[in-house]
C-alpha cells in the first residue's frame, strides 16, 4: 500500500507539471471537471493522461471540481489495485475534450443493460432568472427509460440512459419520484425531496441497477448562477423627501431646479452688469 | 543497486512532504493550486459523498436594532415582486430580508435587508434615517435560531437607481457583510419612485 501511495504522489507531481505548462502559456480560462463514481460495488482508481489522479475512488463519491487548462485529456478507470492506467482496466481510456471555461462532469456508470460505461456531460452554467434554480436530471442507471414525476405529473418524460433533462424552476423543495417511462407509479426511486436552490444548478443522477435493486440518487450542485433582483423600489409616497431638508419632491424638485438655473443665469447677468457698470464708472 | 530499487527511490526524491504512516516533517499545505514549491504534492481534489441531503441551513434574520437611531425593527423574509425587483413588506416599519441570498452568519456574501423609506400604509419609516449613520455605528441582528450577530457600519452611500450596482448589493461571494438599503434623494411623483438608493454596508464585529 505504501508503495502505491508513493507512486500516486509521484504521479501527482507529474500531473501538476503537465497542467502548469499550458496554464502559463496561454490566457485561457480553466475548464472545471468533476468526476462521479456511479458503478455500484467497485472501488476504482482514475488515471488522467496515464497518471493516477483519484485513488481508491468509491461509489456515490463526487470528486472535483478540478480546474484544468482547456485541452483533451485521456481518462482511464482501473481496478483499485492496478499498477498503471493500462492494468486491470474497467473503463477507457476515453478522450475528454475540455473547452475554454467549460464545466463538465465525467460519470463512470452502468449502461441500461448493466455494462460499465463513461458518460461525459457538459453542465449548464448559464445564469438562472432571479428567484429560480435549475434542476438537471441524468439517467445513468442500469434501467430502461424513466419519467421524473413531481406533483402527480411527469415533469421529464422518457429519459433514457445516458440522457439528461433540464428544468428551470422557482426555488423550493421538489418532491420527485423516478418511475418507468409512461407511468406515475410505482416509484423506482423516491419520492425524494430535492432542494432546488435559487441560482444553483442542482444535478441529480439516477444510478445503480434496477435488476440488482440498488437504484439511488446522487447530487451535484453548481452555485453562483444567480441573477440579482432588478432593483429595490423602497419608497412610495415622497413624504420622507418632503420632510427632509436635503430631499426634494419631483414636481417641485424639477421646478426648483429650473428656477435655480434661472436664478443662476440672472445672477451671472447681474455680475456682468455690475462689472461693466464699475468699468463705466 | 538493482533497477527496481532505483525506481523506488525516485518518487521519494520528488515528494518529500506526503503524509504517510511514518513520521514526516510537517507540510505547510497540501493544496495543488497554491504550492508551486520544489516538492509538489498530490493534486488536492476535493471529494464528497454525492448522496441526497437536506437543504443547507440558512439562518433568517428576524430583528434589526441600531442603537444610534433608536431603531428596532422586525425583519420578514422576502422574495421578488412582479417586476423582478426585491419585494418589501408593505409597512415601512417592517424590514425585508432577501431570502434567496445569504442569511445570518453566512460564510460569504451580502445579507441584504431593505425597507421602505415611506409607504402608503404607515408613512415615513425608520429607514428614512439610514443616511444619518456614521461609520463605526453598531448594528445588531437577531436570527431565527436565537443567535445574533453584531456589525459595524463601514460605508453609507447614495447611488442613483439607474447606476445602482444590484450585482454588488446582492453579491454572494465576497466577504460576509450586512447591506441595508432604502430609497433616498429626490422623489419623482410622476413615477412614484425615488431617484436614489441609500446603500449602507456593515461588516461583522470580531469575526
Amino acid at each position: 500500500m505504501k508503495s502505491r501511495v508513493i507512486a500516486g504522489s509521484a504521479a501527482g507531481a507529474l500531473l501538476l507539471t503537465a497542467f502548469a505548462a499550458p496554464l502559463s502559456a496561454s490566457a485561457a480560462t480553466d475548464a472545471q471537471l468533476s468526476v462521479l463514481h456511479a458503478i455500484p460495488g467497485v472501488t476504482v482508481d482514475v488515471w488522467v493522461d496515464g497518471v493516477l489522479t483519484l485513488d481508491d475512488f468509491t461509489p456515490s463519491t463526487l470528486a472535483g471540481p478540478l480546474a484544468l487548462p482547456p485541452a483533451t485529456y485521456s481518462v482511464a478507470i482501473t481496478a483499485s489495485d492496478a499498477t498503471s492506467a493500462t492494468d486491470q482496466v474497467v473503463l477507457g481510456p476515453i478522450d475528454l475534450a475540455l473547452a475554454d471555461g467549460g464545466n463538465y462532469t465525467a460519470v463512470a456508470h452502468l449502461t441500461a443493460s448493466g455494462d460499465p460505461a463513461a458518460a461525459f456531460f457538459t453542465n449548464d452554467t448559464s445564469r438562472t432568472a432571479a428567484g429560480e434554480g435549475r434542476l438537471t436530471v441524468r439517467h445513468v442507471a442500469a434501467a430502461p427509460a424513466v419519467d421524473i414525476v413531481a406533483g402527480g405529473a411527469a415533469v421529464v418524460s422518457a429519459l433514457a440512459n445516458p440522457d439528461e433533462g433540464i428544468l428551470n424552476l422557482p426555488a423550493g423543495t421538489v418532491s420527485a419520484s423516478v418511475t418507468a417511462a409512461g407511468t406515475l407509479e410505482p416509484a423506482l426511486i423516491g419520492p425524494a425531496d430535492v432542494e432546488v436552490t435559487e441560482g444553483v444548478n442542482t444535478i441529480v443522477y439516477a444510478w445503480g441497477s434496477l435488476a440488482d435493486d440498488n437504484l439511488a440518487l446522487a447530487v451535484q450542485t453548481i452555485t453562483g448562477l444567480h441573477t440579482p433582483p432588478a432593483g429595490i423600489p423602497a419608497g412610495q409616497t415622497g413624504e420622507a423627501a418632503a420632510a427632509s431638508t436635503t430631499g426634494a419632491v419631483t414636481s417641485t424638485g424639477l421646478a426648483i431646479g429650473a428656477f435655480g438655473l434661472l436664478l443662476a443665469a440672472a445672477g451671472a447677468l447681474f455680475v456682468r452688469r455690475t462689472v461693466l457698470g464699475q468699468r463705466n464708472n | 543497486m538493482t533497477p527496481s530499487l532505483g525506481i523506488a527511490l525516485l518518487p521519494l526524491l520528488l515528494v518529500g512532504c506526503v503524509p504517510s504512516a511514518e513520521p514526516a516533517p510537517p507540510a505547510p499545505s497540501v493544496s495543488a493550486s497554491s504550492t508551486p514549491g520544489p516538492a509538489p504534492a498530490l493534486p488536492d481534489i476535493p471529494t464528497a459523498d454525492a448522496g441526497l441531503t437536506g437543504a443547507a441551513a440558512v439562518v433568517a434574520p428576524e430583528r434589526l436594532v441600531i442603537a444610534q437611531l433608536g431603531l428596532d425593527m422586525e425583519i420578514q423574509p422576502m422574495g421578488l415582486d412582479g417586476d423582478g425587483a426585491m419585494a418589501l413588506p408593505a409597512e415601512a416599519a417592517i424590514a425585508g430580508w432577501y431570502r434567496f441570498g445569504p442569511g445570518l452568519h453566512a460564510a460569504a456574501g451580502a445579507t441584504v435587508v431593505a425597507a421602505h423609506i415611506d409607504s402608503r400604509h404607515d408613512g415615513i419609516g425608520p429607514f428614512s434615517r439610514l443616511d444619518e449613520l456614521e461609520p463605526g455605528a453598531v448594528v445588531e441582528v437577531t436570527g431565527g435560531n436565537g443567535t445574533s450577530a453584531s456589525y459595524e457600519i463601514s460605508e453609507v452611500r447614495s447611488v442613483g437607481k439607474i447606476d445602482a450596482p444590484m450585482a454588488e448589493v446582492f453579491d454572494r461571494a465576497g466577504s460576509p457583510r450586512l447591506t441595508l438599503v432604502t430609497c433616498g434623494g429626490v422623489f419623482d411623483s410622476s413615477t412614484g419612485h425615488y431617484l436614489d438608493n441609500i446603500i449602507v454596508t456593515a461588516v461583522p464585529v470580531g469575526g
Side-chain angles (χ1 to χ4, degrees):
Chain A
M1 188 59 202
K2 188 183 158 199
S3 65
R4 291 201 62 254
V5 169
I6 291 168
S9 304
L14 293 172
L15 191 66
L16 280 180
T17 311
F19 291 158
L23 187 63
S24 58
S26 78
T29 308
D30 281 351
Q32 304 290 324
L33 175 66
S34 299
V35 183
L36 176 69
H37 184 343
I39 300 175
V42 291
T43 298
V44 300
D45 285 353
V46 178
W47 306 74
V48 178
D49 288 347
V51 170
L52 181 62
T53 304
L54 291 170
D55 194 14
D56 295 343
F57 196 40
T58 55
S60 188
T61 303
L62 179 71
L66 184 62
L68 297 173
T72 296
Y73 297 89
S74 175
V75 174
I77 294 172
T78 66
S80 61
D81 56 351
T83 56
S84 78
T86 55
D87 178 36
Q88 303 179 63
V89 173
V90 176
L91 267 180
I94 57 165
D95 284 344
L96 303 185
L98 308 190
D100 198 350
N103 191 308
Y104 306 93
T105 305
V107 184
H109 70 109
L110 298 176
T111 63
S113 54
D115 300 317
F120 187 48
F121 293 100
T122 300
N123 302 318
D124 184 349
T125 57
S126 60
R127 294 269 162 192
T128 53
E132 292 189 352
R134 181 168 297 131
L135 179 62
T136 302
V137 289
R138 293 174 175 165
H139 183 342
V140 290
V146 299
D147 284 358
I148 309 299
V149 174
V155 291
V156 176
S157 297
L159 185 67
N161 183 323
D163 295 338
E164 67 178 5
I166 298 178
L167 303 166
N168 290 303
L169 301 169
T173 302
V174 176
S175 179
S177 302
V178 178
T179 64
T183 67
L184 294 177
E185 55 184 10
L188 304 177
I189 307 175
D193 283 347
V194 176
E195 198 64 25
V196 178
T197 306
E198 205 256 4
V200 174
N201 184 357
T202 301
I203 306 171
V204 180
Y205 301 84
W207 67 284
S209 165
L210 178 61
D212 294 340
D213 197 25
N214 58 7
L215 291 177
L217 299 180
V219 180
Q220 174 186 11
T221 55
I222 299 174
T223 60
L225 310 182
H226 59 278
T227 301
I232 309 175
Q236 294 181 328
T237 67
E239 284 172 88
S244 159
T245 51
T246 53
V249 181
T250 73
S251 16
T252 51
L254 291 175
I256 285 171
F259 186 56
L261 279 177
L262 276 176
L263 272 179
L269 275 174
F270 179 74
V271 170
R272 277 191 59 152
R273 287 190 177 174
T274 308
V275 170
L276 288 172
Q278 284 170 343
R279 275 188 190 166
N280 287 343
N281 287 344
Chain B
M1 174 188 278
T2 65
S4 64
L5 185 57
I7 290 166
L9 282 173
L10 184 58
L12 282 172
L13 295 174
L14 284 172
V15 284
C17 62
V18 169
S20 70
E22 294 175 9
S29 165
V30 198
S31 162
S33 58
S34 63
T35 53
L42 259 175
D44 184 15
I45 303 169
T47 60
D49 181 3
L52 196 61
T53 57
V58 176
V59 180
E62 292 194 339
R63 186 176 167 208
L64 174 72
V65 174
I66 306 178
Q68 185 199 321
L69 301 181
L71 180 153
D72 185 343
M73 297 172 76
E74 175 191 347
I75 304 173
Q76 294 178 350
M78 302 299 291
L80 298 153
D81 67 16
D83 297 323
M86 181 180 166
L88 296 177
E91 299 87 350
I94 301 175
W97 160 62
Y98 188 60
R99 63 184 174 89
F100 297 129
L104 212 53
H105 313 301
T111 304
V112 180
V113 174
H116 282 124
I117 186 173
D118 50 30
S119 92
R120 288 185 288 274
H121 289 76
D122 58 352
I124 298 172
F127 267 35
S128 63
R129 296 181 61 196
L130 283 189
D131 60 355
E132 297 172 30
L133 286 169
E134 301 283 349
V138 174
V139 179
E140 299 280 348
V141 183
T142 307
N145 59 356
T147 63
S148 64
S150 297
Y151 301 84
E152 66 177 30
I153 305 294
S154 62
E155 184 187 56
V156 180
R157 58 184 172 146
S158 176
V159 183
K161 281 185 182 174
I162 290 171
D163 305 318
M166 286 299 128
E168 179 195 326
V169 168
F170 291 97
D171 174 41
R172 298 183 193 177
S175 56
R177 58 202 187 272
L178 173 70
T179 303
L180 307 176
V181 184
T182 190
C183 278
V186 172
F187 183 78
D188 184 342
S189 58
S190 66
T191 63
H193 293 299
Y194 283 84
L195 299 187
D196 298 345
N197 272 133
I198 307 296
I199 302 172
V200 176
T201 304
V203 296
V205 173

